[in-house]
Every structure is written in structure tokens, then in C-alpha cells.
Amino acid sequence: MATLAPTFPWTKDSKDDYRTCPVLTLKVDMHAERLIIANAVMAVVTLTLGGIAALLIALTRWQAIHLLDATWFYRLLTIHGIDMLIAWMVFFEMAGLHFGSTVLLNARHAAPKAAWLGFILMTVGGLMANFVVLFDPKNTVAYTAYLPLKASPLFYLSYILFAVGALIAVITFFINIVVAKREKRFEGSLPLVVFGFMTAAILATYTLLQGAAAVVPAFLWSAGILSNFDPGIYRNFFWGFGHPAQQVNLAAMISIWYALAQITVGVRPVNEKFSRLAFVLYLFFINLGSAHHLLVDPGLSFAWKAVNTSYAMYLAVLGSMMHAFSIPAALEVALRAKGYRKGLFGWLRNAPWGEPGFAALVVSMVMFGWIGGVTGVVIGTEQINLLVHNTMRLPGHFHATVVSGTTTAFMGFTYYVIPLIFRKELKLKKWAVWQPYVFGGGMLLVSLGMIVSGLQGVSRRNWDITFAGVVPGTIELSLAIFGIGAIIAVIGGIMYVTVVLTSILTGPRLEASKLLLVSGDNNPVLESTKLTEHDLESKQNQPKGSFVLVIAFLVWFAVYYLTNWWLLGRTWFIR
């Protein structure tokens, strides 16, 4: 570590200043640094609140324990959805947008006052949502708040404040990009990570506007200004927000994947145009995944439902599969170029498994793709969805994507934000090394327990399942696996929060002196700039192992997909 770097004005007599990061050699705008820190802190706060609710919910759904009464179960279920699916994700993503549009472009923050306004609105909205749900039983309407359930006007207002704040932050991202281009802070196309963040920002703009179309009329209806608001219209607009919001998470997560791969290994994308095309596919097709939430709604045609749960969805899935090959291939080429060429998987055995960022990257990719992605495609298929949508298979799927995938990636990236942006030494490094594995292992059990329970007919969002009679022992077992996994995952979450708080609240502020946290003193980001076209095209560096892994994934995908159709065929026997 070294003393704090001096700051310099961007232009003569300018009040806006920057510092140069000694590790990344990039200019860090001081407005952006403070905004990143503020959003990251609020992200951890809301993650903690949502995590507490998660543990209590899990210990209630674990039928053998059944901790909470119905009132508190549904109250905390509402808070859990708001804090984990919205607040934690969006606060972290706003930090990512500020980071990507300034630091990664060597650019200044062009609209810091607007960005702070957005942050204040998000903070007020997020905290208000927690307060009104906790202290007013009228607001126990779940994260979706389906009409005709009517919450208080303050509930909808909290959503509106948060969404307006997030939209302002997204707009400042676009302003920063335009200003950086005009001031020639970068040449040519945006860096790939920033391109991914831009994809997330475009999706976020559409998503937030759809959310406004649902929540603003609901607010007016709750306040008595509108006499009626059609539940079908609300559901249509809400899922134009609710599901695409997870696609914003997807685009941001994959951007973080590329960043972690470069930070920990020093990759260079094997074909950058290939990766950019995958992001573009998200823009056109990923939001159509909302259709599987609306399959029983009468206002939409059969043709619309069938097309969007088949052909349109497949093109979105293609984008994810492209990334699923591109990132492991880039890792393999970079590691083979360093001399790890023995056999198909010598590069993988010699990967930096003890580096927190690499551990988070691998856990996130495996859980998101092999569990969350595969189950998502199956659930998104019309015929199967009609059978499984309201069972625990659905939360089993999105806990593998949003929690195991996105959250693990964000956690891993945090460990590098602390020394590089907070300028605090990362403490409890051994905890940071093990944390992705503990959290990921717990979430694996959570998802599998939920999916297996759902396969046996256990409903989602249900406080008690004993009303149907005796609960079979196999369900008791799968719910126990889910509950034990939740406890392990919460331990992993506590490890993360403890590492973060200990690091940012103790010790002096100091400049980082190296990039890697535990696995060496080399700088993989600078090493990635030395990878040549010859290195990428060399026969001995070709990603043969990644190709085998992709084939194995496709086989698993096909087996799971066809098995579900077999199970569907056995649901109703025709004699």
C-alpha cells in the first residue's frame, strides 16, 4: 500500500478533479468515486435486510421447523422480494454504471448532481418500502402486489421514488458516455465491459418505464383518484418490469464476468464481435421471457404466448450460450498462453482457484448456467410452464440465476472495488477466499431442494403445506435440504458482509499497490494487453477444453429438457 494519490483538475480552473489509480493506471473521477461508494454501501445494507428475511422465510418453509406465523411470513416475503430482487441488485448496478461510464473510459462524471438526486430518491424509496411493509399490515401484498390486492399509497410511492431515482442514474450513464466520446476519452467502440453495462442500461430504461406504467396508475387507484384499474393491464405492465428487471441483472452480471476474468487471469476475448453480438441479442429478445408469467391471462393471444415462449426465447438463450463459450474460452487461451497446456484441462487445474474473484466467477457461471439457465428454459416453455409455474420449481430456478449467479458475481467484484475505489485494504482475506464456495454451495442446496420439492407439487409462496393432509417423507427430505442450504448460504452472506464492513470501517485509507488479493503480485489486466493475435490463434492455445465443457453442458441441457417432456407426458395418462 501507498499514501493517497493527489488529485488534479480535469481542465484548468475546473472544480471537477480526478486521481490516477496506481494499479489500473486509469483516471478515477472523484464525483464518480463517491457515487460508487454510496451506491455500493446501500447495496450491502439492502442485501443484509433481505438476507435476514430470507433466513426466516426458509426456516418457515422448512415444514419441520415452520418458524413464523402467516402474518410475519408474508410480510417478510414482501420485504425479501423488494430488497433482494430490486434494491440490492439495482444499487450495485448503479455503482457499476458509474464505474463503467467514467473509470473504465478515463472520463469525468458529467452529471454528478443529477446522479446524487437519483441516489437520494432510490435510498428514500428503498427504505420507505421496508418501513411501510414492516409497520402497516395493509402492505403485505408480496413483491408483485397483484391487483385487486390494494396496498397503501405510500407502498406504491416508494416504488415510484426508487424507480425515478434509478432512471435518473441510468440517464447520467448515457450522458457520461456521450460526453466521454465528445471529449475523446476513448477511441472506436466502447470497451466490452462498458458495452455490456450499456446493454443493461438500455434494458433498464425500458424496464423502468414499464414499471411506471404499472405502478403509477396503481398509486392513483390506491389514493382514490382512479376509480378502477384493470388487473390484467397491471399484470401485463408489471411483468414488462418484473422479468426484464432480471435481464438487467443478467447483462450486468455478464459484464462483471468479463471484468473478473480480466482482473484475475488477464484474458482477452477470443472474438470480441462475437461477445458484442450476444449482448445485442439480449436487447431484441431477452425481455420476451416475460411471457411465461402471463400464459393464463385472457387478454393475450395464443399466438403471442406460443411464439414468445419458443422461438423468441431461443434467440435470447442463444446470447447466453455464446457468452457461456466465450468466457471459458478466453480463460483457457490466456492460461494456455502462460504455459498451462497439459491435456484438455491442465489450464483449469492451474487456474487461480484461491483468488476470490476467480472463485466467484466460476461459482456464478456454473450455478447460473448449469442450474438456473437450464431450468429457466424448461420453465419458460409454454406446456411445461402451465404445470410448474406456481410450484417451488420457479423460485428454485431464479434463486440459481439471480442469487447464485448475479449475487455471487457482484460479491466477488466487491472485493476489488474495496481496495481500488474505497481505497481500503481488504481484510479477512481467507474469509474472502472461502466465501464464494460457502455461499455457492449453500445456494446449490437451496435451488435443488426447491426444484425437487416443486417436482413433487409443493406450491410456492405458501405459508403452510399441511392443509392437503400428510406431507410425504420425500417432501420433508427435499425441504430439509432447502432449509440446510439456506442456513449455509446465509453463513456465506454473513462472511461477505463481515469482510466488507471490516475492510471499509477499519484501518486508514490507502492506495492499492497490487491488483490480485491473494494469488500473486502480478497485474493480469496489464498482462492481458500483451496477448497478441498470435497467442490467440496459436494451435497449442486453442480452447479445446472449453469446447468439451460446452458439449457436456449441451448434453445435460438436452437430458433435462427431454426428461421434463417425459414427465409431462406421464401427468395425465390416456387409456
Side-chain angles (χ1 to χ4, degrees):
M1 294 285 181
T3 56
L4 291 181
T7 60
F8 304 94
W10 283 101
T11 58
K12 187 178 180 181
D13 300 325
S14 172
K15 294 182 180 179
D16 301 325
D17 55 348
Y18 70 91
R19 64 178 176 88
T20 300
C21 175
V23 173
L24 298 177
T25 68
L26 295 172
K27 295 177 180 178
V28 180
D29 180 85
M30 300 311 293
H31 291 301
E33 179 178 280
R34 289 187 283 271
L35 283 162
I36 294 167
I37 290 172
N39 279 277
V41 167
M42 278 307 301
V44 174
V45 169
T46 52
L47 174 70
T48 303
L49 294 174
I52 293 170
L55 178 62
L56 297 176
I57 291 167
L59 293 179
T60 303
R61 286 309 311 257
W62 186 355
Q63 199 67 42
I65 296 179
H66 207 54
L67 180 66
L68 301 175
D69 61 27
T71 300
W72 271 103
F73 172 77
Y74 288 111
R75 183 175 292 164
L76 292 181
L77 188 66
T78 304
I79 287 176
H80 176 63
I82 292 169
D83 283 334
M84 300 299 257
L85 282 174
I86 301 178
W88 147 247
M89 297 289 174
V90 177
F91 272 119
F92 200 95
E93 285 155 2
M94 295 307 108
L97 293 186
H98 293 309
F99 178 79
S101 63
T102 59
V103 178
L104 294 182
L105 299 180
N106 272 316
R108 65 186 177 91
H109 202 297
K113 291 182 180 178
W116 279 113
L117 174 61
F119 171 76
I120 291 169
L121 289 174
M122 287 174 61
T123 301
V124 171
L127 295 179
M128 180 191 294
N130 278 268
F131 183 85
V132 298
V133 173
L134 274 176
F135 296 103
D136 186 351
K138 187 178 181 181
N139 297 315
T140 305
V141 292
Y143 148 74
T144 48
Y146 287 144
L147 275 61
L149 292 175
K150 181 184 284 189
S152 71
L154 287 178
F155 176 86
Y156 301 106
L157 181 61
S158 68
Y159 270 44
I160 293 168
L161 290 175
F162 190 91
V164 170
L167 185 58
I168 291 171
V170 170
I171 291 171
T172 66
F173 171 83
F174 292 119
I175 292 172
N176 289 340
I177 297 292
V178 171
V179 171
K181 185 68 173 178
R182 187 181 65 195
E183 295 180 353
K184 299 180 179 179
R185 299 295 178 183
F186 66 96
E187 295 181 359
S189 301
L190 290 169
L192 182 59
V193 173
V194 184
F195 189 87
F197 280 134
M198 185 174 71
T199 303
I202 294 171
L203 292 172
T205 303
Y206 162 90
T207 297
L208 291 166
L209 292 175
Q210 287 278 315
V215 177
V216 171
F219 167 72
L220 298 175
W221 169 68
S222 175
I225 298 172
L226 279 183
S227 60
N228 183 51
F229 185 26
D230 186 271
I233 297 295
Y234 174 87
R235 279 176 54 83
N236 189 49
F237 282 124
F238 179 85
W239 284 116
F241 156 77
H243 199 273
Q246 311 321 314
Q247 314 313 330
V248 177
N249 301 337
L250 169 65
M253 173 191 70
I254 292 175
S255 302
I256 296 295
W257 283 356
Y258 281 105
L260 288 174
Q262 189 168 22
I263 288 171
T264 59
V265 176
V267 305
R268 179 180 165 188
V270 176
N271 188 321
E272 197 163 306
K273 291 180 180 179
F274 182 81
S275 299
R276 290 175 188 270
L277 175 60
F279 280 120
V280 171
L281 287 174
Y282 287 158
L283 292 177
F284 289 100
F285 300 106
I286 197 71
N287 283 340
L288 300 176
S290 306
H292 79 268
H293 293 279
L294 304 170
L295 291 180
V296 297
D297 287 41
L300 302 166
S301 70
F302 170 77
W304 182 88
K305 295 173 183 178
V307 168
N308 288 333
T309 52
S310 56
Y311 302 110
M313 182 180 69
Y314 301 153
L315 289 169
V317 172
L318 177 62
S320 293
M321 288 187 169
M322 291 166 71
H323 289 303
F325 175 72
S326 179
I327 296 174
L331 290 168
E332 181 174 358
V333 169
L335 287 165
R336 285 184 178 275
K338 294 179 180 181
Y340 304 121
R341 298 175 180 136
K342 187 176 180 180
L344 277 176
F345 301 113
W347 60 278
L348 195 56
R349 288 193 298 271
N350 288 280
W353 294 98
E355 184 68 22
F358 185 81
L361 169 64
V362 174
V363 169
S364 174
M365 290 188 68
V366 169
M367 288 296 298
F368 182 89
W370 288 72
I371 307 297
V374 170
T375 57
V377 173
V378 171
I379 288 173
T381 305
E382 183 182 23
Q383 297 92 328
I384 297 173
N385 182 271
L386 289 171
L387 185 67
V388 308
H389 190 90
N390 286 321
T391 71
M392 284 188 77
R393 286 183 68 181
L394 196 83
H397 149 69
F398 64 70
H399 277 78
T401 54
V402 179
V403 185
S404 306
T406 308
T407 294
T408 305
F410 287 1
M411 286 174 167
F413 193 65
T414 306
Y415 296 138
Y416 300 89
V417 171
I418 289 172
L420 297 175
I421 300 299
F422 282 76
R423 291 190 278 179
K424 303 291 290 253
E425 180 184 3
L426 188 76
K427 304 294 178 63
L428 301 174
K429 290 185 175 66
K430 286 289 181 66
W431 282 38
V433 169
W434 282 102
Q435 185 271 328
Y437 299 115
V438 174
F439 183 76
M443 287 312 305
L444 175 62
L445 295 178
V446 166
S447 293
L448 292 179
M450 283 183 163
I451 291 167
V452 174
S453 297
L455 278 166
Q456 299 175 86
V458 177
S459 60
R460 60 188 292 228
R461 287 182 170 182
N462 207 310
W463 168 67
D464 182 38
I465 63 173
T466 59
F467 63 87
V470 177
V471 178
T474 52
I475 291 178
E476 293 279 13
L477 176 61
S478 58
L479 288 176
I481 292 171
F482 155 67
I484 292 168
I487 294 171
I488 296 172
V490 167
I491 291 171
I494 292 171
M495 291 172 69
Y496 167 75
V497 173
T498 303
V499 171
V500 171
L501 293 182
T502 303
S503 299
I504 66 176
L505 296 179
T506 63
R509 296 190 74 194
L510 298 167
E511 294 289 348
S513 60
K514 64 178 185 177
L515 182 58
L516 295 176
L517 300 174
V518 298
S519 61
D521 295 326
N522 58 308
N523 190 326
V525 170
L526 297 182
E527 289 173 1
S528 68
T529 63
K530 299 175 184 178
L531 279 173
T532 65
E533 292 295 330
H534 177 267
D535 292 325
L536 297 180
E537 297 176 5
S538 172
K539 187 176 181 179
Q540 58 187 352
N541 292 341
Q542 293 308 296
K544 296 172 286 188
S546 297
F547 181 75
V548 172
L549 291 175
V550 168
I551 295 300
F553 170 77
L554 291 176
V555 170
W556 155 241
F557 192 170
V559 168
Y560 186 81
Y561 190 79
L562 295 174
T563 299
N564 274 268
W565 280 99
W566 178 79
L567 289 172
L568 182 63
R570 293 177 61 83
T571 303
W572 297 285
F573 287 101
I574 300 176
R575 301 298 183 185

